[in-house]
Amino acid sequence: MRGFWLLPILTLLPALVAHADDRTALIRMVRQDCGSCHGMTLKGGLGTPLTAQALSEKPGESLVATILYGRPGTAMPAWKTILSESDAQWIVGHLQEGFPEERR
Amino acid sequence: MLTRLLGLLLVFLAGCAQVPLRGTGDLGVVIERATGRIAIVESSTRSILGQVDGLGDLSHASLVFSRDARYAFIFGRDGGLTKVDLLEARIVKRIMQSGNAIGGSISQDGRIVVAQNYTPGGIKAFDSETLELLSEVPAEYAPGSFSKVVGLADVPGNQFAYALFEGGEIWVSDFSDPKRPVTKRYPAGLQPYDGLVTPDGRHYLAGLFGEDGIALLDLWQPEKGSRKILEKYGRGEEKLPVFKMPHLRGWSVAAGRAWLPAIGHHEVLVADATTWKETGRVAVKGQPVFVIASPDGRQIWVNFAFPDNGWVQVIDTLTGKIVQTLQPGKAILHMEFTPRGEAVWLSARDDNRVVIYDTRTFQKLGSLEVDAPSGIFFTSRAARIGF
């Protein structure tokens, strides 16, 4: 009986770890793969800058839509097959604050 | 004072002694994109000879070699242009030439290095000896409208051909007088994303992102103007998302044909390099990024955009069929053949490794630890038109 209190923590742990891994993967993806057009420093390239300065005033919802559905007439593709809506929201939120660096 | 001078002299002499007499024909440079560093490599021994730091933002870096293949001119994303001595593994000169750059080129006579810029859109010419600015051509395609410049390639006659992403044009600038370039303009099409000049320097091709097709200019008869080839290759099929732009260079021409990435279709397009008519297509695993022929033209190696960037496929140019599908590592960003093509080096960015394959047996020959490698450049490029 005495060890029972551990169980909920033990079952929660993998979920927390997976969550942190997802975030690491998302940060890497934004820096590296979004970065192939927007620059690894996100200061822009073929794509527009994604710095906090460039995005903080823009409505978050439309930025989420841009990520998920792309922007016709430009090189911005729809990422909906790769990213969920909550992924896109997380990315937009963090881009608007200044995106975290990859831990290396 | 005297002892200090003597000491300096000794250090200097020791420094000289550390550089053995050697050639540069089997040297190369690997970009370490995340750390602003390059690794100087040797293909004969498959080893890293040295590293050079302090090159700025190398997240989309490319480079060209001096005609003596001793120096590399590295163009950084942040507009940095750095001249590096491969033998001494040191920076000779470094300037910031623009706000946002994408690459560059070197003239036929080796005297002019030209950078292509996104911001401010245009090209800038520098003295390859001193990196002193000689002249610039702003990509102002309409009054007050500047375009990002893509696909810059050197062409014979100290000319440079390039394309304007927003402007939808091909420009050819003649630097016979390096301080007074003369530019001619040709229509290309919607959103050229990169360009190449054929190995003979005759044809300039600009790949189009905004429409299915490729713009072609015959530089031997520019008065005939540009035209479109492989038009409407998508034939109304639904376009797949392009998570990374393909890259074009003169390596696309092999066995009398041009092998070009389709945009939004998982195919390599094949065109006859004389008539420029489509002769076939090869279905591949993803959106092709680099479609690179081996030096003898027998093989075409293809890598792919995210999320298929762990794969590489090899096409046999004789049969037009895929003969090999490899998984060399995580995030394969670039491939470069050794000068005569017995081996190919591949950057596996997310494995922090360059992997080397035998092109005949497809066996792995070895690997090198390199931090987030991207572009690999061997000095054999120094003698090629359009590199």
Side-chain angles (χ1 to χ4, degrees), chain B residues 107-126:
Chain B
S107 62
Q108 185 178 36
D109 68 4
R111 292 180 180 203
I112 310 167
V113 169
V114 175
Q116 56 179 338
N117 292 319
Y118 279 174
T119 329
I123 62 169
K124 283 188 179 177
F126 301 89

Side-chain angles (χ1 to χ4, degrees), chain A residues 28-39 42 50 79 91:
Chain A
R28 180 164 197 92
M29 195 184 139
V30 170
R31 288 271 167 202
Q32 301 291 340
D33 297 304
C34 302
S36 62
C37 276
H38 297 278
L42 307 177
L50 301 180
W79 292 82
I91 290 170

Side-chain angles (χ1 to χ4, degrees), chain B residues 169-373:
Chain B
E169 291 180 330
I170 295 169
W171 287 17
V172 181
S173 295
D174 185 333
F175 284 82
S176 300
D177 180 350
K179 297 207 166 170
R180 270 166 290 275
V182 178
T183 300
K184 293 211 168 83
R185 301 168 59 162
Y186 305 88
L190 279 180
Q191 297 169 323
Y193 65 88
D194 202 357
L196 71 92
V197 61
T198 51
D200 56 10
R202 175 169 179 179
H203 293 99
Y204 182 79
L205 280 74
L208 302 174
F209 179 81
E211 59 183 294
D212 289 346
I214 286 159
L216 174 79
L217 177 66
D218 183 348
L219 296 160
W220 289 5
Q221 315 174 75
E223 66 283 358
K224 290 193 171 173
S226 55
R227 63 189 172 102
K228 233 167 262 175
I229 60 165
L230 300 173
E231 227 174 332
K232 302 185 177 72
Y233 58 74
R235 287 193 208 112
E237 294 163 33
E238 200 195 337
K239 272 205 166 188
L240 300 163
V242 179
F243 293 118
K244 183 176 177 171
M245 280 289 178
H247 289 59
L248 305 175
R249 275 298 88 168
W251 54 57
S252 297
V253 182
R257 281 162 285 168
W259 306 75
L260 300 159
I263 291 278
H265 305 280
H266 295 177
E267 287 175 332
V268 171
L269 309 171
V270 193
D272 184 290
T274 311
T275 63
W276 298 104
K277 295 244 187 316
E278 183 179 327
T279 61
R281 292 164 186 225
V282 186
V284 289
K285 224 165 166 52
Q287 168 66 52
V289 174
F290 284 98
V291 178
I292 304 185
S294 56
D296 64 357
R298 180 66 198 269
Q299 295 176 347
I300 305 281
W301 287 57
V302 188
N303 75 335
F304 304 101
F306 177 89
D308 300 309
N309 56 7
W311 298 92
V312 167
Q313 290 190 303
V314 184
I315 302 167
D316 174 15
T317 55
L318 201 57
T319 62
K321 296 217 159 41
I322 288 169
V323 289
Q324 196 66 225
T325 298
L326 301 164
Q327 283 185 285
K330 282 189 235 151
I332 302 297
L333 291 193
H334 192 219
M335 305 172 288
E336 177 90 334
F337 289 91
T338 52
R340 298 200 190 189
E342 78 285 357
V344 61
W345 290 36
L346 306 102
S347 285
R349 183 194 68 204
D350 291 355
D351 286 334
N352 295 309
R353 191 169 293 163
V354 166
V355 286
I356 304 165
Y357 277 77
D358 185 305
T359 51
R360 188 171 278 253
T361 64
F362 302 108
Q363 295 303 303
K364 196 169 145 181
L365 295 171
S367 69
L368 297 172
E369 301 288 318
V370 180
D371 197 1

